[in-house]
């Protein structure tokens, strides 16, 4: 796409409520982020540059949105059009900083479409070891950021870039239904935990089929730890690293999280529902207060998730295993890492002092810890990269 490749930041100038917007253009197409509307790395459906005239299309359910503008060196000025309304927009060329991927876009074919990822390869001829990096729960993207949290932490992006500088290639990707792979979501009731496992396994196989890579392993962060360890067993991956991964089945974790939030009667009801789901039975009737957590459309996913016990899955691996946790992780305590290690005695356990859930050093207080989630300039916690590289070498 020539001269417009890269990151462009600016505003759509809607009267009294200008929208901050960021577009990233690649060789083939691009993505758009509008934080105030919860849009993060949403794929553009068309980008056409003729001379200085630029036309951009994106498709949301039931509507087509266009940007029409002129490129003037480091600025794009034009008109944003949505449902018959038009507003001026202005974008300024940014550097390939914390918002942009430095790697190469790659794709794999899945049964319901193509999945996009980011490949980082060291300089030189190789072959290189490669790690597939799997992000955590919810809408966390391939860089470790979530649209539910203002700002960015870029933890997984930083990890990939530091690994490549040390001769280790990586692939990281948005999970189905997230960012660039949003179109793979389908209906909520059709998504299973096993879909995420199969996606991870497909990326491992993609790398194994490429002669540029000598060994292929997996790094799973948070929920990505369980996804990764099952995928590692399926693909006979060469190594597995769990970072901030739960050491208990998800029903135990959920009940622990719900205990301070629910009265005794609802907590008991949630426990009963989880027991039935764990037995493979869907639940039709439950209190309205539990609707968000146990809505019928999410129950097939939970049933498929509840059948996995992380300790039992880890024990199936014959390849080397490294288990990492931080002492300031308020989401997954060190005891979970210790439980995983106790279940697989030949694994290596690394506890990183002062590291929190997003792999940054954090203060002891909750407010200071959470502030790190919104600061992409903070480096990764001291010792994290050394533990990973020492294990891989």
């Amino acid at each position: 796409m020539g001269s417009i490749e890269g990151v462009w930041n600016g505003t759509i100038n809607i009267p009294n409520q200008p929208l901050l917007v960021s577009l990233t253009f690649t060789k083939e197409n691009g993505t758009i982020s509008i934080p105030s509307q919860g849009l993060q790395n949403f794929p553009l459906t068309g980008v056409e540059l003729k001379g200085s005239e630029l036309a951009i299309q994106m498709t949301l359910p039931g509507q087509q949105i266009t940007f029409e503008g002129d490129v003037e060196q480091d600025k794009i000025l034009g008109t944003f059009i949505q449902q018959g309304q038009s507003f001026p927009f202005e974008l300024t060329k940014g550097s390939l900083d914390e918002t942009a991927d430095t790697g190469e876009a790659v794709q794999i074919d899945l049964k319901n479409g193509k999945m996009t990822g980011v490949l980082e390869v060291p300089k030189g001829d190789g072959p290189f070891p490669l790690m597939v990096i799997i992000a955590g729960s919810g809408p966390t993207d391939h860089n470790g950021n979530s649209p539910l949290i203002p700002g960015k932490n870029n933890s997984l992006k930083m990890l990939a870039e530091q690994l490549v500088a040390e001769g280790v290639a990586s692939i990281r990707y948005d999970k189905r239904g997230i960012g660039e792979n949003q179109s793979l979501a389908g209906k909520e009731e059709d998504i299973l935990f096993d879909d995420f496992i199969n996606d991870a396994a497909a990326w491992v196989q993609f790398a194994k089929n490429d002669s540029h890579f000598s060994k292929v392993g997996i790094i799973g962060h948070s929920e990505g730890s369980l996804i990764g360890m099952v995928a590692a067993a399926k693909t006979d991956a060469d190594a597995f690293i769990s970072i901030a991964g739960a050491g208990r089945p998800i029903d135990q974790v959920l009940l622990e999280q719900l205990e301070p939030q629910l009265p005794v009667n609802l907590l008991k009801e949630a426990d009963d529902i989880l027991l039935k789901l764990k037995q493979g039975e869907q639940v039709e009737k439950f209190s309205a207060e539990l609707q968000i957590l146990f809505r019928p459309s999410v129950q097939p996913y939970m049933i498929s998730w509840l059948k996995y016990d992380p300790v039992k899955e880890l024990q199936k691996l014959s390849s080397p295993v490294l288990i990492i946790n931080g002492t300031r992780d308020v989401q997954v305590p060190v005891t979970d890492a210790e439980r995983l290690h106790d279940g697989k005695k030949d694994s290596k356990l690394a506890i990183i002092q002062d590291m929190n859930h997003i792999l940054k050093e954090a203060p002891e207080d909750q407010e200071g810890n959470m502030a790190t989630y919104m600061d992409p300039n903070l480096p990764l916690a001291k010792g994290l990269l050394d533990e990973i590289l020492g294990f891989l070498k």
Side-chain angles (χ1 to χ4, degrees):
M1 202 159 289
S3 61
I4 67 165
E5 271 186 57
V7 181
W8 296 76
N9 300 311
T11 54
I12 301 169
N13 296 313
I14 298 172
N16 302 319
Q17 52 170 350
L19 290 178
L20 293 174
V21 61
S22 177
L23 288 100
T24 301
F25 298 111
T26 61
K27 288 179 182 177
E28 286 79 28
N29 222 329
T31 61
I32 184 171
S33 296
I34 306 177
S36 65
Q37 295 188 351
L39 221 56
Q40 187 81 9
N41 297 323
F42 190 83
L44 301 171
T45 50
V47 180
E48 187 176 4
L49 180 63
K50 291 183 178 178
S52 65
E53 295 181 0
L54 178 65
I56 306 165
Q57 288 84 40
M58 59 181 290
T59 304
L60 291 176
Q63 57 179 301
Q64 183 76 17
I65 296 169
T66 62
F67 292 78
E68 296 174 352
D70 290 303
V71 181
E72 302 173 4
Q73 293 185 328
D74 62 348
K75 285 192 180 298
I76 301 175
L77 303 173
T79 304
F80 167 83
I81 304 164
Q82 181 177 13
Q83 292 185 316
Q85 292 185 297
S86 58
F87 305 99
F89 75 87
E90 180 175 342
L91 302 172
T92 302
K93 181 83 181 277
S95 59
L96 287 174
D97 57 8
E98 74 271 4
T99 61
D101 292 322
T102 54
E104 170 193 351
V106 287
Q107 285 189 329
I108 53 172
D109 290 311
L110 302 174
K111 63 182 180 182
N112 58 337
K114 293 181 181 293
M115 178 171 266
T116 301
V118 178
L119 171 65
E120 306 266 6
V121 181
K123 293 178 181 176
D125 298 328
F128 305 102
L130 179 141
M131 301 301 287
V132 174
I133 301 175
I134 307 170
S137 58
T140 305
D141 69 12
H142 64 285
N143 287 333
N145 302 318
S146 170
L148 302 179
I149 299 173
K152 301 176 186 292
N153 66 74
N154 281 342
S155 54
L156 301 184
K157 179 178 189 290
M158 295 168 75
L159 178 59
E161 290 173 351
Q162 291 186 27
L163 285 174
V164 80
E166 297 291 338
V168 180
S170 68
I171 290 172
R172 63 192 197 281
Y173 59 96
D174 294 335
K175 298 189 298 292
R176 57 177 57 231
I178 306 299
E180 293 183 359
N181 296 317
Q182 192 162 16
S183 61
L184 294 172
K187 295 179 181 177
E188 185 173 60
E189 58 266 28
D190 295 333
I191 297 178
L192 301 178
F193 191 76
D194 300 271
D195 293 328
F196 296 108
I197 294 167
N198 292 334
D199 294 341
W203 281 114
V204 172
Q205 205 55 56
F206 168 85
K208 281 192 166 195
N209 292 339
D210 192 324
S211 60
H212 286 98
F213 309 118
S214 53
K215 302 276 188 181
V216 181
I218 293 175
I219 297 175
H221 177 252
S222 190
E223 182 188 77
S225 168
L226 179 56
I227 293 169
M229 64 179 72
V230 182
K234 282 188 69 160
T235 57
D236 196 23
D238 294 300
F240 174 68
I241 299 175
S242 168
I243 306 180
R248 296 159 291 160
I250 192 58
D251 55 321
Q252 294 180 28
V253 177
L254 279 173
L255 287 170
E256 183 180 273
Q257 293 172 345
L258 291 172
E259 188 172 4
Q261 303 175 36
L262 296 178
V264 174
N265 63 316
L266 287 179
L267 189 65
K268 172 67 168 62
E269 185 180 352
D271 192 5
D272 292 341
I273 292 170
L274 285 167
L275 184 61
K276 286 184 179 177
L277 292 174
K278 200 161 188 173
Q279 293 168 346
E281 300 175 32
Q282 292 207 41
V283 180
E284 294 181 5
K285 295 182 179 179
F286 46 86
S287 298
E289 295 92 334
L290 300 176
Q291 172 70 23
I292 291 177
L293 189 60
F294 297 117
R295 60 193 181 277
S297 59
V298 82
Q299 288 187 29
Y301 178 83
M302 295 195 74
I303 288 170
S304 67
W305 192 5
L306 285 160
K307 69 184 181 184
Y308 292 107
D309 180 332
V311 170
K312 291 180 180 177
E313 298 307 321
L314 200 61
Q315 289 170 343
K316 296 176 184 178
L317 296 181
S318 57
S319 55
V321 172
L322 171 64
I323 300 162
I324 299 175
N325 221 99
T327 61
R328 295 275 162 84
D329 191 330
V330 295
Q331 291 170 257
V332 180
V334 165
T335 50
D336 277 79
E338 292 170 342
R339 189 176 190 276
L340 290 173
H341 178 57
D342 288 343
K344 187 167 176 58
K345 296 292 187 184
D346 61 350
S347 63
K348 184 178 188 303
L349 177 65
I351 304 301
I352 309 295
Q353 288 300 311
D354 300 333
M355 186 177 82
N356 68 1
H357 194 68
I358 57 150
L359 320 184
K360 308 291 181 78
E361 288 184 8
E364 194 169 355
D365 66 287
Q366 177 90 355
E367 187 177 343
N369 195 321
M370 296 312 295
T372 67
Y373 285 59
M374 297 170 277
D375 188 350
N377 297 312
L378 287 176
L380 296 178
K382 293 186 187 74
L384 174 63
L385 193 69
D386 290 341
E387 289 288 355
I388 292 173
L389 292 173
F391 168 75
L392 293 178
K393 289 175 180 176

